[in-house]
Amino acid sequence: MKLIIATIKPFKLEEVREALTEAGVRGLMVTEIKGFGAQSGHTEIYRGAEYVVNFVPKVKLELVVADAIADQIIEVITKTAHTGKIGDGKIFVLDVEQAVRVRTGETGDDAI
Ligand SMILES: Nc1ncnc2c1ncn2[C@@H]1O[C@H](COP(=O)(O)OP(=O)(O)OP(=O)(O)O)[C@@H](O)[C@H]1O
Ligand SMILES: [Mg+2]
């Protein structure tokens, strides 16, 4: 299993959620965050306003998926969250050792 951590522009959340659901994702964590990337505090547009502060609002997605579909899911996020402007976000991928569905005790791929 892989943990995919993606930061996206907040207005893209609904579109990305729909695309992920269509792609078979059955669980997702969403957190409102602030952060910076390569521009680190230089101007970035958010909701029509130019941010010159150090941190820009983003949404962080965390999802655990089976190895077999990880690349496809990364592609779905990349395509759906893309605007071509700076600040479109980043995706990090980590190996996951184990997952457990608490209700049933199922583990691994069966638990996600
Ligand atoms: N190296 C990193 N480590 C952790 N989080 C990061 C890193 N780079 C970016 N982020 C997170 O991703 C968000 C969006 O990053 P962003 O899209 O601006 O990356 P970038 O490298 O500056 O690309 P771009 O040039 O397209 O803006 C940041 O606000 C931050 O939350
Ligand atoms: Mg940036």
Side-chain angles (χ1 to χ4, degrees):
M1 295 167 286
K2 303 283 187 215
L3 168 61
I4 299 172
I5 303 174
T7 54
I8 62 171
K9 289 180 167 162
F11 83 93
K12 281 287 190 178
L13 175 60
E14 192 52 29
E15 203 182 326
V16 171
R17 186 196 61 77
E18 275 173 29
L20 287 174
T21 305
E22 274 170 32
V25 166
R26 297 175 66 193
L28 181 66
M29 297 188 225
V30 179
T31 316
E32 291 180 4
I33 62 147
K34 290 178 180 176
F36 67 83
Q39 289 75 27
S40 76
H42 293 98
T43 54
E44 184 174 326
I45 305 290
Y46 171 68
R47 287 197 172 164
E50 224 177 311
Y51 271 73
V52 287
V53 292
N54 286 325
F55 298 103
V56 179
K58 299 286 172 191
V59 165
K60 180 174 75 168
L61 309 176
E62 294 168 273
L63 55 161
V64 175
V65 300
D67 286 331
I69 66 164
D71 286 345
Q72 180 209 333
I73 296 303
I74 292 162
E75 195 181 322
V76 165
I77 297 170
T78 306
K79 281 191 177 155
T80 315
H82 180 267
T83 70
K85 305 225 167 65
I86 59 168
D88 270 355
K90 259 183 194 166
I91 302 175
F92 304 105
V93 184
L94 292 74
D95 282 321
V96 171
E97 293 241 335
Q98 184 57 292
V100 180
R101 174 173 283 116
V102 171
R103 175 174 59 87
T104 58
E106 292 165 286
T107 58
D109 283 357
D110 292 335
I112 58 178

